[in-house]
Amino acid sequence: MKKANAKTIAIILILFMTLGFLPMHEPETASASGARVHVSVIDPFAATCTMGGPPAPNQNGIFHAGSFIDIVPGVTTAYSILYMLRPELNIRSSGHPAWGGMYVEAINDWGEFDGGPLSGWMYSVNGIFPGFSSSLFYLQNGDRLEWLYTRNLGYDIGEGMSNLGRDQWGGDLNFNLSHYNVSLDDNNLTVRVTMGGASATQGANFNLDDSALPNGISVSIGGTYGTQIIVEGVRPAAGQPPITGSFEVGVTVGASQRLPLTISANLTPMPGPAPETLELSASSITINDNNLTRTVTIGGTAVAQVSNVSLDTAALPSGVTAARSGNTITVTGVRPAAGQQAITGTFNITVTAGNLSETLAVTVNLTARQANQNQPETLSLSPSAVAINDARPSSTVTIEGATANISLDASELPNGVTATRSGSSIVIIGVRPIAGQPAISGTFNITVTAGNQSEALTVTVSLTPQSATLNLTPSVVEISNTNLTATVTIGGSAAQGANISTGAGLPDGITATRSGNTITIVGVRPEEGGQAIAGMFQFDVTAGGQSETLTINANLTPPDVAEAGLGNEENGNESPSERQAARPNATIFPIINISATAIENWENTFVDVGDGAWFLDSVRFVGALGLMGGTSPGEFSPNTPLSRAMLVTMLARLSGEGTGGGETWFSAAINWGIGAGLTDGTYPSMNITREQFAVMLYRYAVLSGQGTDDATNLSEFSDTSSISPWALDAMRWANASGIMSGRTTTTLEPGGTATRAEAATLLQRFIENLS
């Protein structure tokens, strides 16, 4: 029979542990695209069981040491992959009607509540705990999946309730995606992204902003309970351009929660011959008194062999002609002579290429000339040749003579050079190529036509590429345990040709990849017991002869040790007195005479310690004694966790020991604490728990000759069983002495982190108790 509160705890666990539906079919075990993930199933604390529960059946805690398993991206889930490990693993799961999924109760008969009232299985992907159904988390190639056993609602393995949505407790709903970046390619045309967090489980309404997506890529909401984004791609038809690039979809829930989903696409056209096409740049044109000449370009794949193109102009009236030169059709009209009949109407030209044909409709409105208009028109350009170069990117040419009925044929001009007509002027403009592109050079003709007259305008071009520029935003990024991923934008004219060169600058555990104009830096924390990755690392981003340095400030530490902070010293049999006796050079002199005047005259300079703060008197007390100062000028940081080194430093000051000097700010204090028998000096930067705090105060009291016989059985607290065996006597003494009460009326929270405000209060009670 499980404990009376088992259902309540199960609901809490289900919120952020392994929810999901049992697949209705046998999961895929192979992937045609070669995708795979690394999977492990581990109980990190099986050998020591310091969280208060019994040992796991296999004492080494390795249920599955780790292996690579083939998957189908977007199909295989974190839940279904457990079944790929059968018969090595025996999975026991049950349905949960409220949350609509399957809950993993046990693996190899080791499951929820077997390791204590707050124990059960959780999963993480790439070091991140998604916090929603494992059967809705679709794995991608290269993911690292870990199933981990927790004995303390996830706090002992790095993910606690504070990181999850709090809809059950009156807080804001959270919202997350199983993947913020997905890829579509020829072998992976469908990707599923799960929308998780409390917002999803509450059945929230989701909206997708797909306005940035090109034709060929679509998104929709579907999947189990409508909590999946289905991203689908369609390969272009043969002969069509590929779909490449990065596109963003805005995923919105409620009025204010919005997350970006980036889709990186590389969809190439379908194989096979492209269908022939015939296209006209205009399907209809007008010829009138002011526009006697019009040109139409013949396009499409059917005109690759221009000899296959023919014109049927039989419908054109006298006075209107059409001729083809290469892929250009030129339609010319001649106004009737004075006294002749006007030419009006719409006439069709049929353009044929192979089995394809298109119709060009020509609307004509040519009136007869007046008697004084029978003189031949003249046309001249001033000048008739211009040069476009870096120093002179534009030029203007004047049209003289007949200025009506003027048209330009600028089809010879290369990309980067344009010609436009405004009244009697032709403006030619050149744009220099961007850095890394080829120069534009050569001589090209523009044909200027007015009525039956035409002149050639010669344009000599010499445009060299612009100077390359390159800038990174930002140029310095931080990678830490809480910030494993950072992005940098490549800017400047050289961005399109940027190359990442890592050289030997990056250590194992930190990678940098480029997609388009974005560099993504990813850090992986070392395995437990591994070497920390700390320091400054640099590599160059180069493009177009330009180079910029990207700096990565890294601080990646291994996960906390299994004994939650006190290291191997708790496994020994020495008593505190025996420890101190073995180190005769270290002594403890507690402060007995406390200056009431100093305490009364202490001035509060901390902006975060208000006059009504419950910890004000304690901060005044330890501040007047010189035991604790601020974390920065004007700030005490009452809610910041206290480290083991901080407490040892304060106890050293209490004994009158100097704490300055040494390689670090805490070196002298730690050396004193080792000599005094208070600590073995391991893990000084680790946050100290409440039970560790009690143990150090208890040892100090023993070594200073104070009585430690007072003890309570702690029966009024519901979490007494979670106190580590090595801390039980200290917790009983601290509670009986009035130094440490419960965090609530029914819980001690021995594994909870002690804050600086709590440390000030505990120290004041301890010193007054000694005095």
Side-chain angles (χ1 to χ4, degrees), residues 33-51:
S33 61
R36 61 178 188 169
V37 300
H38 188 271
V39 184
S40 61
V41 184
I42 297 172
D43 179 354
F45 306 121
T48 56
C49 296
T50 59
M51 298 309 296

Side-chain angles (χ1 to χ4, degrees), residues 474-507:
S475 60
V476 179
V477 297
E478 304 287 338
I479 294 294
S480 64
N481 295 347
T482 57
N483 184 34
L484 292 171
T485 303
T487 58
V488 175
T489 300
I490 309 172
S493 61
Q496 294 297 326
N499 297 312
I500 295 179
S501 175
T502 58
L506 295 182

Side-chain angles (χ1 to χ4, degrees), residues 37-406:
V37 300
H38 188 271
V39 184
S40 61
V41 184
I42 297 172
D43 179 354
F45 306 121
T48 56
C49 296
T50 59
M51 298 309 296
N58 49 345
Q59 280 294 307
N60 62 9
I62 307 299
F63 289 67
H64 181 76
S67 63
F68 286 96
I69 296 180
D70 291 342
I71 67 164
V72 178
V75 174
T76 306
T77 69
Y79 179 79
S80 65
I81 204 167
L82 284 175
Y83 286 80
M84 297 182 189
L85 298 175
R86 293 178 299 173
E88 176 186 356
L89 299 180
N90 176 31
I91 312 300
R92 187 175 78 240
S93 58
S94 62
H96 192 280
W99 300 101
M102 297 297 296
Y103 169 50
V104 175
E105 290 185 342
I107 300 176
N108 285 0
D109 297 323
W110 181 243
E112 63 171 331
F113 312 115
D114 291 336
L118 306 179
S119 62
W121 286 97
M122 295 178 64
Y123 77 101
S124 72
V125 180
N126 303 325
I128 298 174
F129 293 80
F132 61 89
S133 171
S134 59
S135 72
L136 296 179
F137 192 104
Y138 290 86
L139 297 169
Q140 301 296 326
N141 183 33
D143 281 346
R144 177 183 176 189
L145 171 64
E146 294 179 288
W147 282 88
L148 302 169
Y149 190 81
T150 175
R151 289 173 168 78
N152 191 24
L153 283 178
Y155 286 100
D156 52 339
I157 58 175
E159 182 73 352
M161 289 291 291
S162 62
N163 293 333
L164 303 177
R166 297 172 292 159
D167 61 314
Q168 295 282 316
W169 301 273
D172 295 333
L173 300 178
N174 76 339
F175 180 40
N176 52 45
L177 302 178
S178 59
H179 291 81
Y180 293 94
N181 295 277
V182 298
S183 297
L184 291 180
D185 55 37
D186 297 347
N187 298 315
N188 187 27
L189 293 173
T190 301
V191 178
R192 294 173 180 265
V193 177
T194 299
M195 297 177 285
S199 294
T201 63
Q202 289 296 313
N205 292 322
F206 300 103
N207 294 303
L208 303 179
D209 178 6
D210 59 357
S211 59
L213 294 184
N215 290 334
I217 299 178
S218 63
V219 293
S220 61
I221 294 177
T224 306
Y225 305 112
T227 56
Q228 290 179 359
I229 302 172
I230 303 174
V231 184
E232 296 181 288
V234 178
R235 294 179 64 182
Q240 296 299 310
I243 304 174
T244 59
S246 295
F247 312 96
E248 183 176 293
V249 174
V251 186
T252 306
V253 60
S256 61
Q257 298 184 72
R258 186 183 190 277
L259 293 176
L261 172 64
T262 300
I263 302 172
S264 299
N266 185 18
L267 302 174
T268 61
M270 297 290 290
E276 287 194 337
T277 60
L278 177 63
E279 302 167 354
L280 301 179
S281 60
S283 59
S284 63
I285 59 175
T286 299
I287 298 293
N288 55 38
D289 295 347
N290 296 316
N291 191 13
L292 293 170
T293 302
R294 292 292 302 274
T295 59
V296 175
T297 301
I298 310 171
T301 58
V303 297
Q305 299 293 327
V306 294
S307 59
N308 295 332
V309 181
S310 61
L311 304 181
D312 180 358
T313 62
L316 293 182
S318 177
V320 180
T321 61
R324 178 177 70 85
S325 174
N327 289 352
T328 300
I329 301 172
T330 301
V331 182
T332 304
V334 179
R335 295 179 64 183
Q340 297 295 315
Q341 186 175 356
I343 306 172
T344 60
T346 298
F347 313 92
N348 290 332
I349 299 172
T350 302
V351 184
T352 303
N355 295 323
L356 301 175
S357 64
E358 292 289 336
T359 298
L360 172 61
V362 183
T363 299
V364 182
N365 186 18
L366 297 173
T367 62
R369 292 176 179 274
Q370 297 178 9
N372 59 358
Q373 290 180 317
N374 288 330
Q375 297 299 319
E377 292 183 333
T378 61
L379 175 66
S380 62
L381 303 176
S382 178
S384 61
V386 295
I388 298 294
N389 52 46
D390 298 348
R392 185 185 175 92
S394 65
S395 188
T396 302
V397 174
T398 302
I399 307 172
E400 299 177 342
T403 59
N405 310 325
I406 297 173

Side-chain angles (χ1 to χ4, degrees), residues 395-579:
S395 188
T396 302
V397 174
T398 302
I399 307 172
E400 299 177 342
T403 59
N405 310 325
I406 297 173
S407 63
L408 304 181
D409 179 2
S411 58
E412 275 194 28
L413 293 184
N415 289 335
V417 182
T418 60
T420 57
R421 173 188 164 230
S422 176
S424 59
S425 297
I426 301 173
V427 179
I428 302 97
I429 298 177
V431 179
R432 296 177 63 186
I434 65 172
Q437 297 297 313
I440 304 173
S441 61
T443 299
F444 311 92
N445 288 328
I446 300 173
T447 301
V448 183
T449 302
N452 294 324
Q453 307 297 312
S454 65
E455 293 288 336
L457 172 60
T458 302
V459 182
T460 301
V461 181
S462 178
L463 297 172
T464 61
Q466 304 173 45
S467 299
T469 59
L470 182 67
N471 55 70
L472 304 178
T473 306
S475 60
V476 179
V477 297
E478 304 287 338
I479 294 294
S480 64
N481 295 347
T482 57
N483 184 34
L484 292 171
T485 303
T487 58
V488 175
T489 300
I490 309 172
S493 61
Q496 294 297 326
N499 297 312
I500 295 179
S501 175
T502 58
L506 295 182
D508 290 340
I510 299 180
T511 59
T513 57
R514 174 191 168 221
S515 176
N517 289 354
T518 300
I519 300 173
T520 302
I521 300 97
V522 178
V524 178
R525 292 183 65 184
E527 299 287 347
E528 183 175 319
Q531 183 69 35
I533 303 172
M536 182 176 69
F537 307 96
Q538 296 179 324
F539 65 88
D540 291 334
V541 179
T542 59
Q546 305 299 307
S547 179
E548 291 289 337
T549 299
L550 177 59
T551 300
I552 301 173
N553 291 324
N555 185 20
L556 299 171
T557 60
D560 293 348
V561 294
E563 294 201 37
L566 281 179
N568 295 327
E569 61 178 336
E570 303 307 340
N571 295 329
N573 296 317
E574 291 179 300
S575 69
S577 298
E578 289 171 335
R579 291 172 184 264

Side-chain angles (χ1 to χ4, degrees), residues 540-620:
D540 291 334
V541 179
T542 59
Q546 305 299 307
S547 179
E548 291 289 337
T549 299
L550 177 59
T551 300
I552 301 173
N553 291 324
N555 185 20
L556 299 171
T557 60
D560 293 348
V561 294
E563 294 201 37
L566 281 179
N568 295 327
E569 61 178 336
E570 303 307 340
N571 295 329
N573 296 317
E574 291 179 300
S575 69
S577 298
E578 289 171 335
R579 291 172 184 264
Q580 203 278 333
R583 304 165 178 85
N585 294 329
T587 55
I588 292 179
F589 302 99
I591 295 177
I592 303 300
N593 296 320
I594 300 174
S595 172
T597 301
I599 295 175
E600 183 179 351
N601 294 334
W602 178 82
E603 181 181 357
N604 183 12
T605 60
F606 300 128
V607 296
D608 52 1
V609 180
D611 292 339
W614 61 267
F615 46 82
L616 172 61
D617 290 340
S618 297
V619 172
R620 176 185 290 110

